[in-house]
């Protein structure tokens, strides 16, 4: 039975990814900063699917915490076939002119440093057991600009670069690495929007709709499956056509 580890998987897209792998018969490890949430989510998935699901407390801005968690995953599952760097500090309202050093560090520590050390630990484990697949969750905000997401966008661009280097360095060990560039994904944050705000958002997207979390999960699962055995070092963009626009798209509420 294969094993996947997904960071930040107690809600939204991470949870949808965890559920998709569990439905496909994979054992699932999930992390959260909060042990109780990780455990509660693992218990729910464990009841839903006939696979083993474990929840771990992990601080993405603490390299020792990352190391300890991967050690625990290795002990519990013996191997790792896929790793998904999903958790992120969304860095809302952190533009070039208004971001403090503390805010900058908090975003970069989680999104770049944390993802880097997670990927390294995942790769070390996969290298021992004959390979695997790593997927990072990127964003259209790493390839194009919107107001107030400068630091976040920089970190998502860094993930895309990390994926290229991982593909290059790790291919010899049977490890693939790819980046899913998500556009607008319908998360629980949409629950607070009015119908008018949602309609305005949708009118901005060429496809006329946002992505569902399940659609992102399907792409991640595909990239970790044997169907994608020759795909590495790439971006898979799932953005309702947002990044195809030059002048039309303007992020509005
Ligand atoms: N939603 C979108 O429209 C969209 C669009 C493009 C890309 N993405 C990307 O897709 C991924 C999932 O997005 P989402 O909307 O599902 O995210 P989310 O629910 O806001 O966050 C996912 C998880 O990341 C962890 N996290 C959040 N802030 C953190 C922080 N400051 N430090 C450490 N961990 C933190 C949380 O885990 P715990 O609280 O359990 O620790 C959370 O459950 C992210 O990488 C995001 O950048 C999302």
């Amino acid at each position: 039975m294969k094993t996947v580890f997904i960071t930040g998987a107690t809600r939204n897209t991470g949870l949808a990814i965890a559920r998709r792998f569990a439905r496909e018969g994979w054992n699932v490890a999930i992390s959260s900063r909060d042990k109780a949430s990780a455990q509660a989510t693992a218990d729910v998935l464990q009841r839903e699917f006939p696979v083993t699901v474990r929840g771990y407390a992990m601080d993405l801005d603490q390299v020792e915490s990352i190391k300890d968690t991967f050690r625990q995953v290795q002990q519990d599952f013996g191997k790792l076939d896929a790793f998904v760097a999903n958790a992120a500090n969304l860095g809302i309202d952190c533009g070039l002119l208004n971001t403090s050093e503390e805010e900058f560090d908090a975003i970069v520590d989680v999104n770049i440093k944390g993802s880097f050390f997670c990927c390294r630990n995942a790769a070390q484990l996969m290298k021992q057991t004959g390979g695997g697949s790593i997927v990072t969750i990127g964003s259209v905000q790493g390839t194009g600009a919107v107001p107030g997401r400068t630091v976040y966008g920089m970190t998502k661009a860094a993930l895309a670069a990390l994926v290229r280097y991982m593909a290059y360095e790790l291919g010899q060990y049977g490890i693939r690495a790819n980046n899913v560039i998500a556009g607008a994904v319908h998360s629980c944050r949409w629950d607070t929007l009015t119908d008018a705000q949602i309609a305005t958002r949708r009118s901005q997207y060429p496809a006329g709709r946002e992505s569902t979390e399940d659609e992102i999960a399907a792409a991640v699962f595909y990239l970790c499956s044997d169907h994608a055995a020759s795909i590495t070092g790439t971006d898979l963009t799932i953005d309702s056509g947002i990044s195809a626009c030059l002048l039309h798209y303007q992020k509005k509420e």
Side-chain angles (χ1 to χ4, degrees):
M1 207 176 241
K2 289 186 172 180
T3 300
V4 61
F5 180 19
I6 306 141
T7 61
T10 59
R11 62 173 194 247
N12 293 333
T13 301
L15 178 56
I17 296 169
R19 188 166 268 123
R20 174 62 193 256
F21 277 85
R23 183 173 300 126
E24 300 285 347
W26 288 48
N27 290 331
V28 176
I30 59 169
S31 78
S32 165
R33 285 165 293 180
D34 181 53
K35 174 73 189 158
S37 304
Q39 193 54 60
T41 306
D43 290 347
V44 168
L45 294 175
Q46 184 74 81
R47 281 195 293 276
E48 277 179 53
F49 302 100
V51 298
T52 303
V53 186
R54 293 262 160 83
Y56 302 90
M58 182 168 80
D59 289 322
L60 279 160
D61 53 2
Q62 304 291 328
V63 173
E64 274 311 307
S65 169
I66 292 171
K67 250 197 212 165
D68 289 346
T69 308
F70 274 87
R71 210 175 290 130
Q72 197 60 54
V73 169
Q74 182 174 25
Q75 265 173 32
D76 292 344
F77 293 97
K79 67 186 178 111
L80 191 62
D81 300 283
F83 170 69
V84 185
N86 170 74
N89 180 325
L90 300 185
I92 308 283
D93 290 333
C94 287
L96 178 69
L97 299 177
N98 68 334
T99 301
S100 68
E101 186 179 351
E102 290 71 27
E103 287 169 327
F104 182 93
D105 286 346
I107 301 164
V108 168
D109 280 355
V110 169
N111 296 5
I112 298 185
K113 191 174 172 188
S115 297
F116 176 90
F117 282 99
C118 282
C119 289
R120 180 155 97 181
N121 279 273
Q124 284 166 337
L125 235 170
M126 290 172 182
K127 187 179 160 205
Q128 290 167 23
T129 50
S133 172
I134 296 174
V135 176
T136 55
I137 308 295
S139 167
V140 289
Q141 292 164 7
T143 51
V146 294
R149 303 298 289 280
T150 311
V151 185
Y152 172 79
M154 287 165 63
T155 65
K156 291 299 184 179
L159 287 187
L162 173 61
V163 152
R164 318 259 177 272
Y165 279 89
M166 289 195 292
Y168 185 75
E169 277 188 65
L170 303 175
Q172 61 188 310
Y173 307 116
I175 302 169
R176 297 182 296 105
N178 292 289
N179 182 40
V180 168
I181 298 185
V185 184
H186 194 111
S187 69
C188 65
R189 289 183 294 279
W190 286 60
D191 296 348
T192 58
L193 299 176
T194 64
D195 289 348
Q197 286 172 319
I198 290 176
T200 304
R201 282 193 178 191
R202 288 179 178 160
S203 72
Q204 297 283 308
Y205 313 146
R209 63 184 281 269
E210 69 280 18
S211 302
T212 65
E213 293 165 349
D214 287 345
E215 287 168 337
I216 304 299
V220 172
F221 184 75
Y222 165 70
L223 288 170
C224 295
S225 75
D226 292 341
H227 295 294
S230 65
I231 300 178
T232 192
T234 65
D235 300 311
L236 175 51
T237 302
I238 304 169
D239 71 346
S240 308
I242 289 170
S243 50
C245 306
L246 279 178
L247 294 178
H248 173 70
Y249 177 72
Q250 293 178 353
K251 191 168 196 284
K252 288 183 193 160
E253 283 313 314

